[in-house]
Amino acid sequence: LIAHAKGQKRPPLLFCSDDRSLLLCEKYRSSLEKHFLFSFPPWECIGKIVLKDSLYLQGLDGISTPATMPLRTVEDLSQVSRLMEFPLLLKPTLRCLREGGETSSPPFEKVFGEKAVRVRSREELAERFKEIRDQRFDVLVQEEIPGGVERLYTLGIYAGRDGQIKAAWTGRKLAQVPADFGDALIVEADWSPALLPLAHDPGRQLFD
């Protein structure tokens, strides 16, 4: 990457297309940012977004989020049925990240077939939790929000250092693979300005 950047007339703009690339660029940020313009903020900010435990548990003003609980040990499982109703979802904190910061092994969806695992009972919860922990993923349990794939909307924004939105895009999924919890297969650009307030409160900086 650095050799490529040195051959350009001006510093290229660096984009990351997946979480693994983001973690790699963050690891070598001090070297890369001498030669590139970064399109994403420092880890102190973006880590709060890409790590699901930080994202769901920090409390997002004005945005309803599903009930979420980190699962550290088998003992934590006894609390789940008191706080949530089945069916529930088990998710990794970050699908390409395993214990110890290891990112070279196959991601969660390659191991389990989907980005989340649905469980319908206490017994299934315990069984699948053990399987996921055996693969060294940190785990969250979360209530499942019902609805078809066509109800999944995406709001993409680009914000400046001043926290102001410079550009925005909205769209919705029409199909994903796997069908329940997967990556987008067909996406329709569908401008929905009503989604913008969910991403930005004009009264404060977007990224604190």
Side-chain angles (χ1 to χ4, degrees), residues 43-60:
W43 184 254
E44 290 75 14
C45 169
I46 206 164
K48 298 177 182 178
I49 301 171
V50 299
L51 297 176
K52 289 185 177 64
D53 53 350
S54 297
L55 175 65
Y56 288 112
L57 300 177
Q58 67 180 298
L60 303 175

Side-chain angles (χ1 to χ4, degrees), residues 24-97:
L24 180 65
C25 289
E26 182 60 36
K27 180 178 180 179
Y28 296 103
R29 175 184 281 267
S30 60
S31 298
L32 289 171
E33 65 184 357
K34 298 174 183 177
H35 306 279
F36 286 92
L37 300 175
F38 276 36
S39 62
F40 49 91
W43 184 254
E44 290 75 14
C45 169
I46 206 164
K48 298 177 182 178
I49 301 171
V50 299
L51 297 176
K52 289 185 177 64
D53 53 350
S54 297
L55 175 65
Y56 288 112
L57 300 177
Q58 67 180 298
L60 303 175
D61 294 340
I63 301 177
S64 298
T65 56
T68 304
M69 175 182 167
L71 297 178
R72 309 298 185 196
T73 66
V74 174
E75 286 71 26
D76 292 336
L77 300 179
S78 61
Q79 303 181 38
V80 173
S81 57
R82 295 201 302 266
L83 300 174
M84 306 178 192
E85 295 183 1
F86 292 95
L88 298 170
L89 303 179
L90 292 174
K91 296 181 178 181
T93 298
L94 186 60
R95 55 183 178 164
C96 68
L97 183 66

Side-chain angles (χ1 to χ4, degrees), residues 77-124:
L77 300 179
S78 61
Q79 303 181 38
V80 173
S81 57
R82 295 201 302 266
L83 300 174
M84 306 178 192
E85 295 183 1
F86 292 95
L88 298 170
L89 303 179
L90 292 174
K91 296 181 178 181
T93 298
L94 186 60
R95 55 183 178 164
C96 68
L97 183 66
R98 304 199 189 199
E99 284 182 344
E102 195 246 305
T103 60
S104 59
S105 297
F108 187 89
E109 66 271 21
K110 294 294 185 182
V111 179
F112 295 100
E114 295 185 291
K115 294 192 294 184
V117 172
R118 180 187 284 117
V119 294
R120 296 178 173 85
S121 66
R122 295 181 184 179
E123 294 74 21
E124 192 175 7

Side-chain angles (χ1 to χ4, degrees), residues 95-170:
R95 55 183 178 164
C96 68
L97 183 66
R98 304 199 189 199
E99 284 182 344
E102 195 246 305
T103 60
S104 59
S105 297
F108 187 89
E109 66 271 21
K110 294 294 185 182
V111 179
F112 295 100
E114 295 185 291
K115 294 192 294 184
V117 172
R118 180 187 284 117
V119 294
R120 296 178 173 85
S121 66
R122 295 181 184 179
E123 294 74 21
E124 192 175 7
L125 171 65
E127 179 182 345
R128 301 313 298 271
F129 171 72
K130 182 179 185 305
E131 291 175 3
I132 295 170
R133 290 296 294 141
D134 285 347
Q135 291 291 330
R136 298 183 295 109
F137 287 104
D138 289 330
V139 189
L140 298 173
V141 62
Q142 194 171 72
E143 68 174 334
E144 182 176 354
I145 305 301
V149 63
E150 73 281 354
R151 299 184 64 187
L152 297 176
Y153 279 78
T154 294
L155 167 60
I157 62 170
Y158 191 87
R161 294 182 183 277
D162 60 359
Q164 300 301 310
I165 295 176
K166 310 300 182 182
W169 176 90
T170 63

